[in-house]
Amino acid sequence: MVDRRVPSRLRCDAGWDPLPRPAPRTVRPSMSRFARVFAESIAAAADLPVDDVLGLIGAPPKAEMGQLAFPCFQIAKARHAPPPKIAAEIAAELSSDAPFTAIKAFGPYVNAFLDGAAVARDVLPRVLAEGERFGRLDLGHGEAVVVDFSSPNIAKSFGIHHLRSTVIGHALVNLFEAAGYAPVGINHLGDWGTQFGQLLAIWKTDGDEDALAAGGIQYLLDLYVKFNTKLEGEPGLQDEARACFKALEDGDPEARRLWKLFRDVSLAEFETSYRRLGIDFDDMRGESFYEDKMPAVLDELRRKGLLKTSDGATVVDLEEHGLGAALVRKADGSTLYLTRDLAAAQFRRDTYRFVRALYVVGGAQALHFAQMTKVLELLGRDWAGAVEHVPFGLMRFKDRKMSTRKGDIIPLASVLDRAVELAKERIVEGAREKGLPEPDDVDGLAETIGIGAVVFSDLKNRRQRDIVFDWDEVLSFEGETGPYLQYTAARIASMEQKSGRPITTEVDWTVLDGPGELALCLALEGLSDSLRRAVAECEPSLVSDKLLEIASLFSTLYARRDWKVVSDDEGLTDARMLLAHAVRQALGNGLGWLGIQVPDRM
RNA sequence: GCACCCGUAGCUCAGUUGGAUAGAGCGCCUGCCUCCGGAGCAGGAGGUCGCAGGUUCGAAUCCUGCCGGGUGUACCA
């Protein structure tokens, strides 16, 4: 079975070096187009390569110090002069033409002040024109990237611990799509393996098809727990399980029938959760699909002299690479998940011709993927470097230790249900308090908001961190949460409806030259850069951060007494409405990439 | 033992391709609904960036060694 999250207990004497990472995906953390203009003029003034300058440009700590900064320490050192002196000299040579209003030295830095009107005139029409395409990139040129994610075990319930792989993987699929790749979302279902034998073994004594039909996956889970309980007093049961799995492998009709039944029952429940999360896989092959493709892999390994026998088992010795021994066949002749993953990797390569193959799987399995990549390398696959484990931290639980063997899991559905329930209460309450009519589709809205909260609570964290599951945090709608972002967008949608004026770019840009508007336009401009970094690092939280920044900057403006979007001044209204609309567009696009819907009211 | 991940405010986390006085959210305290939706906004208190060295004009960021937590380390997946 392939449950990617279940801890493994392989043994390996030596440690291992992480494989060299594939070539860097990006060259520079490119900045806005304005940074480039700034860099070009500095490069000319100081006689330096533009790219070197661009790499050094950053943002000053405060808005009063401008929007772009160039530190002079390095050239000062090369030219044996004090940095402030160099900065002053460069600043003196630069003219502050548009889009800059001023360029001046601040100690050892040369800082540029951008013209808010010029920035707005540049950014906002693009947002309007590009609409849903705003922020997207063409880094991938339509090349295929396969993303293996979620990959739950059949016959076990879909727990909260599956959330991480599922939402991170889903976000990555969308992010790669937005960056111009052709992603293929793959759900590598754990529908094969020795644990199926356990289920079949306990079924013999305790199985009941009516109960299965009624209880669904919960019943299978109960059986699984029952097996483990019974095993303690009856060790022979393990052999029985092995025999059952053997029968399944050999095509015993009754075993196959039951296996298919278990599979269908489980899939039905998984589909419900996937549908709620808006996830649609491109490829749902289970491990069973690769059964007949493993002999070819083993054959090739043997032909290339990579196999060794060790204690009856067949292994690829990776000791010299610090990766221990990779087991590809057990002493009893049956295969392991490494063997299946090797067959699957080859199949994916043949089928999709990917340029990157991602595995969104917990960090606990780093060794497995390192071994897999190394074996592919030894087999001479020139695409081995494209195989990439995208690890994420463990989900732990606040109060208690969770044990799948005892059936002690929090079903994902119950977390979603609770979030949706709270969202519904909030909507109804909110409508009453504000004297607004209750929305037509309260349940649909609650679903969008509740699920948005759960999904974002995961995606705002950097992938590799372990996260502690905390109901209060996952179900929070305030602060840095999905509902906060949705709410910001919903308020704007509501204004657009009320104003009744069409969004236009025929506006007086000078009314948008305040520091708040400028910061906001630069944040909007930065959305695609967050996307660039997110796909380079397989890190959705980079987009989450940018969205929070955009929403927060807009909310600050919005809350000001002296800053109303809709006013008697039609010119001002049109300009601010365009800005607000751009914010809504950016939030909608970014949240969409993260797999979160945006309602137009809440 | 060895390897990998993590260690930043009371809590949850940004910041980690070296750059200016280390930033948010939650919680706590103070304000803000005659005015576009308060799921919001503003302000305050709160920090030896795990510890100790080192490199550097400059270190939360890079290097070394420790400490703490997590994970992995051959017939489960």
Side-chain angles (χ1 to χ4, degrees):
Chain A
M1 308 247 308
V2 75
D3 195 315
R4 305 287 198 186
R5 287 140 309 278
V6 169
S8 79
R9 282 174 290 278
L10 288 171
R11 201 151 23 96
C12 155
D13 296 322
W16 48 279
D17 297 320
L19 287 170
R21 288 205 45 150
R25 308 297 183 183
T26 50
V27 192
R28 285 236 48 88
S30 81
M31 310 261 302
S32 70
R33 54 185 58 204
F34 307 107
R36 177 161 282 278
V37 175
F38 186 43
E40 279 163 2
S41 41
I42 287 181
D47 194 26
L48 292 164
V50 177
D51 286 340
D52 291 2
V53 175
L54 191 58
L56 290 170
I57 287 177
K62 300 229 157 149
E64 303 85 73
M65 299 165 82
Q67 288 72 47
L68 297 167
F70 175 71
C72 297
F73 304 100
Q74 284 182 24
I75 46 174
K77 195 172 185 185
R79 297 178 186 180
H80 305 289
K85 183 159 177 286
I86 299 281
E89 284 169 11
I90 294 176
E93 277 203 50
L94 298 180
S95 57
S96 39
D97 301 334
F100 305 110
T101 56
I103 292 178
K104 45 189 171 185
F106 276 76
Y109 293 85
V110 180
N111 289 10
F113 291 74
L114 282 163
D115 174 14
V119 172
R121 187 171 57 231
D122 181 89
V123 175
L124 301 182
R126 271 190 293 125
V127 183
L128 190 66
E130 293 173 18
E132 291 184 357
R133 295 193 320 281
F134 176 70
R136 292 174 62 100
L137 296 166
D138 185 26
L139 299 175
H141 311 296
E143 292 180 311
V145 172
V146 303
V147 184
D148 179 319
F149 71 104
S150 200
S151 305
N153 258 344
I154 294 285
K156 285 197 194 167
S157 119
F158 204 63
I160 185 67
H161 57 287
H162 290 96
L163 185 70
R164 302 222 71 196
S165 174
T166 304
V167 301
I168 292 169
H170 182 216
L172 288 176
V173 166
N174 294 336
L175 289 165
F176 273 91
E177 203 276 327
Y181 291 87
V184 181
I186 300 181
N187 197 352
H188 189 62
L189 295 163
D191 66 353
W192 204 251
T194 44
Q195 290 185 57
F196 259 91
Q198 302 178 342
L199 217 42
L200 290 169
I202 193 79
W203 182 268
K204 283 189 174 170
T205 51
D206 295 70
D208 177 349
E209 282 194 40
D210 291 334
L212 175 61
I217 204 159
Q218 184 57 46
Y219 181 70
L220 290 177
L221 190 63
D222 292 345
L223 279 183
Y224 183 66
V225 173
K226 205 175 276 181
F227 175 87
N228 280 295
T229 317
K230 218 166 173 178
L231 187 62
E232 285 171 22
E234 199 179 321
L237 207 55
Q238 198 64 262
D239 295 329
E240 176 70 19
R242 260 190 280 274
C244 286
F245 183 61
K246 186 81 167 54
L248 180 60
E249 276 190 305
D250 294 346
D252 175 81
E254 177 64 2
R256 295 298 290 216
R257 189 186 70 84
L258 286 170
W259 169 78
K260 193 162 184 318
L261 192 59
F262 298 159
R263 192 176 190 273
D264 292 346
V265 164
S266 307
L267 273 178
E269 181 184 299
F270 296 166
E271 285 294 350
T272 307
S273 288
Y274 289 138
R275 204 175 319 113
R276 294 181 80 182
L277 293 168
I279 299 176
D280 190 18
F281 292 93
D282 302 296
D283 185 323
M284 283 265 279
R285 269 171 259 268
E287 289 193 286
S288 55
F289 177 80
Y290 299 100
E291 278 310 287
D292 62 357
K293 294 172 182 54
M294 285 186 286
V297 174
L298 289 168
D299 234 42
E300 187 182 348
L301 285 167
R302 188 177 309 111
R303 276 204 318 277
K304 296 191 169 163
L306 295 169
L307 294 185
K308 267 170 62 170
T309 304
S310 171
D311 295 335
T314 309
V315 306
V316 181
D317 186 356
L318 300 177
E319 209 65 61
E320 60 176 307
H321 302 102
L323 294 168
L327 255 80
V328 293
R329 197 169 57 184
K330 293 195 271 189
D332 69 6
S334 54
T335 54
L336 291 110
Y337 81 133
L338 176 61
T339 329
R340 279 189 284 274
D341 266 350
L342 287 167
Q346 184 64 53
F347 179 81
R348 291 172 189 183
R349 173 66 185 179
D350 295 341
T351 308
Y352 302 112
R353 310 304 298 179
F354 55 74
V355 293
R356 292 177 76 175
L358 310 180
Y359 291 81
V360 185
V361 180
Q365 292 190 60
L367 179 58
H368 169 250
F369 287 103
Q371 289 181 331
M372 183 172 107
T373 308
K374 180 54 75 179
V375 172
L376 289 170
E377 222 176 282
L378 295 175
L379 282 171
R381 300 294 187 270
D382 57 3
W383 45 270
V387 172
E388 211 177 323
H389 179 204
V390 179
F392 54 84
L394 241 61
M395 180 179 280
R396 292 207 309 282
F397 298 87
K398 215 175 176 179
D399 359 310
R400 51 195 178 137
K401 290 275 181 225
M402 305 298 265
S403 157
T404 316
R405 286 216 322 249
K406 291 178 184 161
D408 189 20
I409 58 171
I410 302 175
L412 176 61
S414 72
V415 177
L416 298 182
D417 287 344
R418 183 68 188 131
V420 170
E421 186 187 338
L422 287 173
K424 184 172 178 178
E425 286 172 15
R426 195 65 176 273
I427 293 165
V428 173
E429 218 173 278
R432 203 183 52 231
E433 278 172 11
K434 294 169 193 163
L436 297 168
E438 223 170 80
D440 301 331
D441 183 17
V442 177
D443 290 321
L445 263 182
E447 186 81 5
T448 299
I449 295 162
I451 288 174
V454 176
V455 171
F456 193 82
S457 77
D458 195 313
L459 293 181
K460 74 177 173 188
N461 294 109
R462 234 163 80 243
R463 227 181 52 221
Q464 296 244 39
R465 287 190 91 101
D466 288 349
I467 63 179
V468 175
F469 179 82
D470 178 350
W471 282 98
D472 291 341
E473 211 170 298
V474 170
L475 299 179
S476 168
F477 298 160
E478 278 154 32
E480 297 171 328
T481 64
Y484 167 64
L485 297 176
Q486 293 172 321
Y487 178 71
T488 305
R491 286 199 297 193
I492 295 170
S494 154
M495 279 189 309
E496 289 181 25
Q497 272 173 7
K498 275 188 197 156
S499 91
R501 296 176 64 82
I503 304 294
T504 173
T505 53
E506 298 298 314
V507 305
D508 174 9
W509 302 106
T510 61
V511 304
L512 295 177
D513 71 350
E517 289 89 336
L518 175 53
L520 187 47
C521 286
L522 289 175
L524 293 170
E525 168 72 18
L527 181 65
S528 68
D529 195 52
S530 76
L531 170 63
R532 182 195 318 276
R533 292 186 58 207
V535 296
E537 299 174 29
C538 293
E539 184 57 271
S541 70
L542 294 169
V543 169
S544 311
D545 277 348
K546 183 54 70 180
L547 298 179
L548 286 169
E549 184 191 346
I550 290 169
S552 163
L553 286 168
F554 179 77
S555 297
T556 299
L557 277 175
Y558 182 88
R560 271 168 52 178
R561 290 285 166 88
D562 59 345
W563 198 92
K564 293 294 164 197
V565 175
V566 181
S567 67
D568 295 338
D569 184 337
E570 292 188 347
L572 189 61
T573 302
D574 283 348
R576 288 181 177 169
M577 195 63 87
L578 174 63
L579 178 65
H581 178 79
V583 168
R584 181 161 81 98
Q585 185 74 60
L587 291 177
N589 292 2
L591 283 170
W593 301 339
L594 298 180
I596 296 169
Q597 300 299 113
V598 182
D600 49 19
R601 66 158 297 179
M602 288 176 70

